[in-house]
PDB file of all heavy atoms in Angstrom:
ATOM      1  N   SER Q 217      62.271 -79.831 104.488  1.00 79.00           N
ATOM      2  CA  SER Q 217      61.910 -81.250 104.376  1.00 79.00           C
ATOM      3  C   SER Q 217      62.735 -82.014 103.352  1.00 79.00           C
ATOM      4  O   SER Q 217      62.832 -83.240 103.431  1.00 79.00           O
ATOM      5  CB  SER Q 217      60.428 -81.397 104.045  1.00 79.00           C
ATOM      6  OG  SER Q 217      60.176 -80.943 102.730  1.00 79.00           O
ATOM      7  N   GLY Q 218      63.309 -81.317 102.366  1.00 76.00           N
ATOM      8  CA  GLY Q 218      64.067 -82.022 101.342  1.00 76.00           C
ATOM      9  C   GLY Q 218      63.158 -82.799 100.412  1.00 76.00           C
ATOM     10  O   GLY Q 218      61.920 -82.686 100.456  1.00 76.00           O
ATOM     11  N   LEU Q 219      63.761 -83.600  99.581  1.00 71.00           N
ATOM     12  CA  LEU Q 219      63.015 -84.362  98.570  1.00 71.00           C
ATOM     13  C   LEU Q 219      62.057 -85.373  99.189  1.00 71.00           C
ATOM     14  O   LEU Q 219      60.995 -85.643  98.655  1.00 71.00           O
ATOM     15  CB  LEU Q 219      63.986 -85.075  97.630  1.00 71.00           C
ATOM     16  CG  LEU Q 219      63.391 -85.780  96.432  1.00 71.00           C
ATOM     17  CD1 LEU Q 219      62.612 -84.802  95.552  1.00 71.00           C
ATOM     18  CD2 LEU Q 219      64.477 -86.452  95.625  1.00 71.00           C
ATOM     19  N   GLY Q 220      62.406 -85.909 100.349  1.00 69.00           N
ATOM     20  CA  GLY Q 220      61.566 -86.914 100.991  1.00 69.00           C
ATOM     21  C   GLY Q 220      60.407 -86.331 101.777  1.00 69.00           C
ATOM     22  O   GLY Q 220      59.607 -87.062 102.322  1.00 69.00           O
ATOM     23  N   GLY Q 221      60.301 -85.023 101.844  1.00 66.00           N
ATOM     24  CA  GLY Q 221      59.265 -84.389 102.638  1.00 66.00           C
ATOM     25  C   GLY Q 221      57.876 -84.563 102.061  1.00 66.00           C
ATOM     26  O   GLY Q 221      57.683 -84.894 100.899  1.00 66.00           O
ATOM     27  N   SER Q 222      56.901 -84.336 102.897  1.00 61.00           N
ATOM     28  CA  SER Q 222      55.513 -84.530 102.496  1.00 61.00           C
ATOM     29  C   SER Q 222      55.070 -83.552 101.419  1.00 61.00           C
ATOM     30  O   SER Q 222      54.118 -83.814 100.694  1.00 61.00           O
ATOM     31  CB  SER Q 222      54.585 -84.423 103.709  1.00 61.00           C
ATOM     32  OG  SER Q 222      54.701 -83.141 104.283  1.00 61.00           O
ATOM     33  N   PHE Q 223      55.742 -82.428 101.285  1.00 61.00           N
ATOM     34  CA  PHE Q 223      55.400 -81.446 100.253  1.00 61.00           C
ATOM     35  C   PHE Q 223      55.409 -82.094  98.870  1.00 61.00           C
ATOM     36  O   PHE Q 223      54.563 -81.823  98.041  1.00 61.00           O
ATOM     37  CB  PHE Q 223      56.367 -80.263 100.324  1.00 61.00           C
ATOM     38  CG  PHE Q 223      56.240 -79.317  99.169  1.00 61.00           C
ATOM     39  CD1 PHE Q 223      55.096 -78.558  98.990  1.00 61.00           C
ATOM     40  CD2 PHE Q 223      57.256 -79.189  98.241  1.00 61.00           C
ATOM     41  CE1 PHE Q 223      54.972 -77.672  97.932  1.00 61.00           C
ATOM     42  CE2 PHE Q 223      57.137 -78.305  97.181  1.00 61.00           C
ATOM     43  CZ  PHE Q 223      55.996 -77.556  97.021  1.00 61.00           C
ATOM     44  N   TYR Q 224      56.363 -82.956  98.610  1.00 61.00           N
ATOM     45  CA  TYR Q 224      56.474 -83.587  97.298  1.00 61.00           C
ATOM     46  C   TYR Q 224      55.469 -84.723  97.101  1.00 61.00           C
ATOM     47  O   TYR Q 224      55.339 -85.236  96.011  1.00 61.00           O
ATOM     48  CB  TYR Q 224      57.896 -84.077  97.053  1.00 61.00           C
ATOM     49  CG  TYR Q 224      58.807 -82.947  96.692  1.00 61.00           C
ATOM     50  CD1 TYR Q 224      59.723 -82.446  97.608  1.00 61.00           C
ATOM     51  CD2 TYR Q 224      58.716 -82.339  95.446  1.00 61.00           C
ATOM     52  CE1 TYR Q 224      60.537 -81.390  97.270  1.00 61.00           C
ATOM     53  CE2 TYR Q 224      59.529 -81.273  95.122  1.00 61.00           C
ATOM     54  CZ  TYR Q 224      60.430 -80.809  96.025  1.00 61.00           C
ATOM     55  OH  TYR Q 224      61.229 -79.754  95.700  1.00 61.00           O
ATOM     56  N   ASN Q 225      54.776 -85.098  98.143  1.00 62.00           N
ATOM     57  CA  ASN Q 225      53.755 -86.143  98.011  1.00 62.00           C
ATOM     58  C   ASN Q 225      52.385 -85.570  97.694  1.00 62.00           C
ATOM     59  O   ASN Q 225      51.449 -86.301  97.451  1.00 62.00           O
ATOM     60  CB  ASN Q 225      53.681 -86.961  99.296  1.00 62.00           C
ATOM     61  CG  ASN Q 225      54.956 -87.710  99.555  1.00 62.00           C
ATOM     62  OD1 ASN Q 225      55.624 -88.150  98.621  1.00 62.00           O
ATOM     63  ND2 ASN Q 225      55.325 -87.850 100.811  1.00 62.00           N
ATOM     64  N   LEU Q 226      52.251 -84.242  97.684  1.00 61.00           N
ATOM     65  CA  LEU Q 226      50.969 -83.610  97.418  1.00 61.00           C
ATOM     66  C   LEU Q 226      50.677 -83.587  95.921  1.00 61.00           C
ATOM     67  O   LEU Q 226      51.441 -83.032  95.139  1.00 61.00           O
ATOM     68  CB  LEU Q 226      50.954 -82.165  97.956  1.00 61.00           C
ATOM     69  CG  LEU Q 226      51.179 -81.999  99.450  1.00 61.00           C
ATOM     70  CD1 LEU Q 226      51.272 -80.528  99.796  1.00 61.00           C
ATOM     71  CD2 LEU Q 226      50.067 -82.667 100.235  1.00 61.00           C
ATOM     72  N   GLY Q 227      49.600 -84.172  95.515  1.00 59.00           N
ATOM     73  CA  GLY Q 227      49.163 -84.101  94.127  1.00 59.00           C
ATOM     74  C   GLY Q 227      50.089 -84.772  93.130  1.00 59.00           C
ATOM     75  O   GLY Q 227      50.019 -84.471  91.937  1.00 59.00           O
ATOM     76  N   ILE Q 228      50.959 -85.642  93.585  1.00 62.00           N
ATOM     77  CA  ILE Q 228      51.889 -86.300  92.676  1.00 62.00           C
ATOM     78  C   ILE Q 228      51.532 -87.768  92.592  1.00 62.00           C
ATOM     79  O   ILE Q 228      51.305 -88.435  93.599  1.00 62.00           O
ATOM     80  CB  ILE Q 228      53.341 -86.118  93.159  1.00 62.00           C
ATOM     81  CG1 ILE Q 228      53.721 -84.647  93.112  1.00 62.00           C
ATOM     82  CG2 ILE Q 228      54.311 -86.940  92.334  1.00 62.00           C
ATOM     83  CD1 ILE Q 228      55.085 -84.335  93.665  1.00 62.00           C
ATOM     84  N   ASN Q 229      51.478 -88.267  91.373  1.00 63.00           N
ATOM     85  CA  ASN Q 229      51.216 -89.673  91.142  1.00 63.00           C
ATOM     86  C   ASN Q 229      52.259 -90.505  91.876  1.00 63.00           C
ATOM     87  O   ASN Q 229      53.461 -90.296  91.710  1.00 63.00           O
ATOM     88  CB  ASN Q 229      51.269 -89.927  89.623  1.00 63.00           C
ATOM     89  CG  ASN Q 229      50.913 -91.352  89.266  1.00 63.00           C
ATOM     90  OD1 ASN Q 229      51.000 -92.260  90.078  1.00 63.00           O
ATOM     91  ND2 ASN Q 229      50.515 -91.542  88.020  1.00 63.00           N
ATOM     92  N   SER Q 230      51.807 -91.463  92.671  1.00 59.00           N
ATOM     93  CA  SER Q 230      52.742 -92.259  93.464  1.00 59.00           C
ATOM     94  C   SER Q 230      53.667 -93.117  92.602  1.00 59.00           C
ATOM     95  O   SER Q 230      54.675 -93.596  93.089  1.00 59.00           O
ATOM     96  CB  SER Q 230      51.979 -93.137  94.447  1.00 59.00           C
ATOM     97  OG  SER Q 230      51.144 -94.045  93.730  1.00 59.00           O
ATOM     98  N   GLU Q 231      53.329 -93.284  91.320  1.00 62.00           N
ATOM     99  CA  GLU Q 231      54.192 -94.055  90.443  1.00 62.00           C
ATOM    100  C   GLU Q 231      55.408 -93.268  89.979  1.00 62.00           C
ATOM    101  O   GLU Q 231      56.361 -93.835  89.457  1.00 62.00           O
ATOM    102  CB  GLU Q 231      53.397 -94.548  89.227  1.00 62.00           C
ATOM    103  CG  GLU Q 231      52.295 -95.526  89.595  1.00 62.00           C
ATOM    104  CD  GLU Q 231      51.446 -95.919  88.400  1.00 62.00           C
ATOM    105  OE1 GLU Q 231      51.868 -95.675  87.257  1.00 62.00           O
ATOM    106  OE2 GLU Q 231      50.367 -96.480  88.619  1.00 62.00           O
ATOM    107  N   ILE Q 232      55.356 -91.937  90.142  1.00 65.00           N
ATOM    108  CA  ILE Q 232      56.493 -91.101  89.747  1.00 65.00           C
ATOM    109  C   ILE Q 232      57.570 -91.263  90.793  1.00 65.00           C
ATOM    110  O   ILE Q 232      57.328 -91.114  91.988  1.00 65.00           O
ATOM    111  CB  ILE Q 232      56.088 -89.622  89.602  1.00 65.00           C
ATOM    112  CG1 ILE Q 232      55.079 -89.455  88.479  1.00 65.00           C
ATOM    113  CG2 ILE Q 232      57.306 -88.756  89.352  1.00 65.00           C
ATOM    114  CD1 ILE Q 232      54.578 -88.046  88.330  1.00 65.00           C
ATOM    115  N   THR Q 233      58.770 -91.578  90.361  1.00 69.00           N
ATOM    116  CA  THR Q 233      59.848 -91.790  91.311  1.00 69.00           C
ATOM    117  C   THR Q 233      60.436 -90.462  91.772  1.00 69.00           C
ATOM    118  O   THR Q 233      60.266 -89.427  91.134  1.00 69.00           O
ATOM    119  CB  THR Q 233      60.982 -92.608  90.663  1.00 69.00           C
ATOM    120  OG1 THR Q 233      61.575 -91.832  89.630  1.00 69.00           O
ATOM    121  CG2 THR Q 233      60.459 -93.913  90.102  1.00 69.00           C
ATOM    122  N   SER Q 234      61.127 -90.533  92.885  1.00 70.00           N
ATOM    123  CA  SER Q 234      61.771 -89.332  93.405  1.00 70.00           C
ATOM    124  C   SER Q 234      62.862 -88.849  92.455  1.00 70.00           C
ATOM    125  O   SER Q 234      63.176 -87.662  92.420  1.00 70.00           O
ATOM    126  CB  SER Q 234      62.345 -89.595  94.798  1.00 70.00           C
ATOM    127  OG  SER Q 234      63.312 -90.625  94.741  1.00 70.00           O
ATOM    128  N   ASN Q 235      63.419 -89.756  91.635  1.00 76.00           N
ATOM    129  CA  ASN Q 235      64.433 -89.323  90.658  1.00 76.00           C
ATOM    130  C   ASN Q 235      63.848 -88.372  89.630  1.00 76.00           C
ATOM    131  O   ASN Q 235      64.514 -87.439  89.195  1.00 76.00           O
ATOM    132  CB  ASN Q 235      65.053 -90.531  89.950  1.00 76.00           C
ATOM    133  CG  ASN Q 235      65.992 -91.302  90.845  1.00 76.00           C
ATOM    134  OD1 ASN Q 235      66.489 -90.780  91.841  1.00 76.00           O
ATOM    135  ND2 ASN Q 235      66.224 -92.558  90.521  1.00 76.00           N
ATOM    136  N   VAL Q 236      62.604 -88.604  89.215  1.00 78.00           N
ATOM    137  CA  VAL Q 236      61.959 -87.729  88.237  1.00 78.00           C
ATOM    138  C   VAL Q 236      61.752 -86.343  88.859  1.00 78.00           C
ATOM    139  O   VAL Q 236      62.009 -85.319  88.244  1.00 78.00           O
ATOM    140  CB  VAL Q 236      60.621 -88.321  87.750  1.00 78.00           C
ATOM    141  CG1 VAL Q 236      59.868 -87.342  86.865  1.00 78.00           C
ATOM    142  CG2 VAL Q 236      60.858 -89.646  87.024  1.00 78.00           C
ATOM    143  N   ILE Q 237      61.294 -86.322  90.107  1.00 76.00           N
ATOM    144  CA  ILE Q 237      61.074 -85.058  90.804  1.00 76.00           C
ATOM    145  C   ILE Q 237      62.412 -84.345  91.007  1.00 76.00           C
ATOM    146  O   ILE Q 237      62.524 -83.142  90.762  1.00 76.00           O
ATOM    147  CB  ILE Q 237      60.362 -85.304  92.143  1.00 76.00           C
ATOM    148  CG1 ILE Q 237      58.971 -85.886  91.905  1.00 76.00           C
ATOM    149  CG2 ILE Q 237      60.276 -84.013  92.956  1.00 76.00           C
ATOM    150  CD1 ILE Q 237      58.317 -86.452  93.145  1.00 76.00           C
ATOM    151  N   ALA Q 238      63.419 -85.090  91.447  1.00 79.00           N
ATOM    152  CA  ALA Q 238      64.736 -84.490  91.666  1.00 79.00           C
ATOM    153  C   ALA Q 238      65.306 -83.956  90.367  1.00 79.00           C
ATOM    154  O   ALA Q 238      65.879 -82.857  90.331  1.00 79.00           O
ATOM    155  CB  ALA Q 238      65.689 -85.520  92.272  1.00 79.00           C
ATOM    156  N   ASP Q 239      65.134 -84.672  89.264  1.00 82.00           N
ATOM    157  CA  ASP Q 239      65.639 -84.211  87.964  1.00 82.00           C
ATOM    158  C   ASP Q 239      64.933 -82.930  87.535  1.00 82.00           C
ATOM    159  O   ASP Q 239      65.559 -81.984  87.066  1.00 82.00           O
ATOM    160  CB  ASP Q 239      65.466 -85.289  86.895  1.00 82.00           C
ATOM    161  CG  ASP Q 239      66.052 -84.851  85.569  1.00 82.00           C
ATOM    162  OD1 ASP Q 239      67.293 -84.861  85.444  1.00 82.00           O
ATOM    163  OD2 ASP Q 239      65.273 -84.472  84.669  1.00 82.00           O
ATOM    164  N   SER Q 240      63.627 -82.874  87.731  1.00 81.00           N
ATOM    165  CA  SER Q 240      62.865 -81.685  87.371  1.00 81.00           C
ATOM    166  C   SER Q 240      63.357 -80.466  88.164  1.00 81.00           C
ATOM    167  O   SER Q 240      63.606 -79.395  87.598  1.00 81.00           O
ATOM    168  CB  SER Q 240      61.376 -81.913  87.635  1.00 81.00           C
ATOM    169  OG  SER Q 240      60.645 -80.731  87.431  1.00 81.00           O
ATOM    170  N   ASN Q 241      63.493 -80.643  89.463  1.00 81.00           N
ATOM    171  CA  ASN Q 241      63.973 -79.528  90.294  1.00 81.00           C
ATOM    172  C   ASN Q 241      65.413 -79.166  89.974  1.00 81.00           C
ATOM    173  O   ASN Q 241      65.777 -77.990  89.943  1.00 81.00           O
ATOM    174  CB  ASN Q 241      63.832 -79.861  91.781  1.00 81.00           C
ATOM    175  CG  ASN Q 241      62.449 -79.554  92.290  1.00 81.00           C
ATOM    176  OD1 ASN Q 241      61.650 -78.905  91.629  1.00 81.00           O
ATOM    177  ND2 ASN Q 241      62.154 -80.031  93.476  1.00 81.00           N
ATOM    178  N   TYR Q 242      66.241 -80.167  89.726  1.00 84.00           N
ATOM    179  CA  TYR Q 242      67.642 -79.914  89.385  1.00 84.00           C
ATOM    180  C   TYR Q 242      67.737 -79.059  88.133  1.00 84.00           C
ATOM    181  O   TYR Q 242      68.481 -78.086  88.085  1.00 84.00           O
ATOM    182  CB  TYR Q 242      68.364 -81.254  89.192  1.00 84.00           C
ATOM    183  CG  TYR Q 242      69.799 -81.101  88.790  1.00 84.00           C
ATOM    184  CD1 TYR Q 242      70.774 -80.813  89.741  1.00 84.00           C
ATOM    185  CD2 TYR Q 242      70.195 -81.232  87.464  1.00 84.00           C
ATOM    186  CE1 TYR Q 242      72.098 -80.665  89.379  1.00 84.00           C
ATOM    187  CE2 TYR Q 242      71.520 -81.096  87.088  1.00 84.00           C
ATOM    188  CZ  TYR Q 242      72.473 -80.807  88.059  1.00 84.00           C
ATOM    189  OH  TYR Q 242      73.779 -80.659  87.696  1.00 84.00           O
ATOM    190  N   ARG Q 243      66.969 -79.398  87.119  1.00 88.00           N
ATOM    191  CA  ARG Q 243      67.011 -78.644  85.857  1.00 88.00           C
ATOM    192  C   ARG Q 243      66.416 -77.236  86.051  1.00 88.00           C
ATOM    193  O   ARG Q 243      66.898 -76.261  85.487  1.00 88.00           O
ATOM    194  CB  ARG Q 243      66.292 -79.399  84.768  1.00 88.00           C
ATOM    195  CG  ARG Q 243      67.047 -80.655  84.357  1.00 88.00           C
ATOM    196  CD  ARG Q 243      66.252 -81.493  83.363  1.00 88.00           C
ATOM    197  NE  ARG Q 243      66.803 -82.809  83.239  1.00 88.00           N
ATOM    198  CZ  ARG Q 243      67.750 -83.145  82.369  1.00 88.00           C
ATOM    199  NH1 ARG Q 243      68.251 -82.230  81.555  1.00 88.00           N
ATOM    200  NH2 ARG Q 243      68.204 -84.377  82.309  1.00 88.00           N
ATOM    201  N   TYR Q 244      65.364 -77.142  86.842  1.00 88.00           N
ATOM    202  CA  TYR Q 244      64.759 -75.833  87.123  1.00 88.00           C
ATOM    203  C   TYR Q 244      65.781 -74.912  87.800  1.00 88.00           C
ATOM    204  O   TYR Q 244      65.997 -73.782  87.378  1.00 88.00           O
ATOM    205  CB  TYR Q 244      63.529 -76.018  88.012  1.00 88.00           C
ATOM    206  CG  TYR Q 244      62.907 -74.719  88.462  1.00 88.00           C
ATOM    207  CD1 TYR Q 244      62.094 -73.985  87.607  1.00 88.00           C
ATOM    208  CD2 TYR Q 244      63.151 -74.209  89.737  1.00 88.00           C
ATOM    209  CE1 TYR Q 244      61.531 -72.782  88.019  1.00 88.00           C
ATOM    210  CE2 TYR Q 244      62.589 -73.018  90.155  1.00 88.00           C
ATOM    211  CZ  TYR Q 244      61.780 -72.308  89.283  1.00 88.00           C
ATOM    212  OH  TYR Q 244      61.232 -71.130  89.688  1.00 88.00           O
ATOM    213  N   TYR Q 245      66.388 -75.409  88.857  1.00 90.00           N
ATOM    214  CA  TYR Q 245      67.354 -74.582  89.579  1.00 90.00           C
ATOM    215  C   TYR Q 245      68.625 -74.341  88.770  1.00 90.00           C
ATOM    216  O   TYR Q 245      69.296 -73.326  88.966  1.00 90.00           O
ATOM    217  CB  TYR Q 245      67.648 -75.168  90.961  1.00 90.00           C
ATOM    218  CG  TYR Q 245      66.426 -75.046  91.851  1.00 90.00           C
ATOM    219  CD1 TYR Q 245      65.762 -76.169  92.318  1.00 90.00           C
ATOM    220  CD2 TYR Q 245      65.920 -73.795  92.174  1.00 90.00           C
ATOM    221  CE1 TYR Q 245      64.627 -76.046  93.100  1.00 90.00           C
ATOM    222  CE2 TYR Q 245      64.782 -73.661  92.946  1.00 90.00           C
ATOM    223  CZ  TYR Q 245      64.150 -74.790  93.413  1.00 90.00           C
ATOM    224  OH  TYR Q 245      63.020 -74.660  94.172  1.00 90.00           O
ATOM    225  N   SER Q 246      68.964 -75.253  87.884  1.00 91.00           N
ATOM    226  CA  SER Q 246      70.094 -75.009  86.983  1.00 91.00           C
ATOM    227  C   SER Q 246      69.794 -73.828  86.067  1.00 91.00           C
ATOM    228  O   SER Q 246      70.668 -72.993  85.819  1.00 91.00           O
ATOM    229  CB  SER Q 246      70.406 -76.260  86.152  1.00 91.00           C
ATOM    230  OG  SER Q 246      70.879 -77.289  86.987  1.00 91.00           O
ATOM    231  N   GLY Q 247      68.572 -73.763  85.587  1.00 89.00           N
ATOM    232  CA  GLY Q 247      68.158 -72.610  84.772  1.00 89.00           C
ATOM    233  C   GLY Q 247      68.205 -71.320  85.566  1.00 89.00           C
ATOM    234  O   GLY Q 247      68.660 -70.283  85.064  1.00 89.00           O
ATOM    235  N   MET Q 248      67.771 -71.366  86.809  1.00 92.00           N
ATOM    236  CA  MET Q 248      67.835 -70.173  87.661  1.00 92.00           C
ATOM    237  C   MET Q 248      69.288 -69.801  87.939  1.00 92.00           C
ATOM    238  O   MET Q 248      69.628 -68.622  88.016  1.00 92.00           O
ATOM    239  CB  MET Q 248      67.072 -70.417  88.960  1.00 92.00           C
ATOM    240  CG  MET Q 248      65.574 -70.551  88.717  1.00 92.00           C
ATOM    241  SD  MET Q 248      64.646 -70.680  90.241  1.00 92.00           S
ATOM    242  CE  MET Q 248      64.738 -69.008  90.834  1.00 92.00           C
TER     243      MET Q 248
END
């Protein structure tokens, strides 16, 4: 589904932008 998929809409405050989610995942996977 990518970043726009419904998985990222579960339990996430709608005020949080996709950039915040993308940054979090980017940093997580960078650590991995």
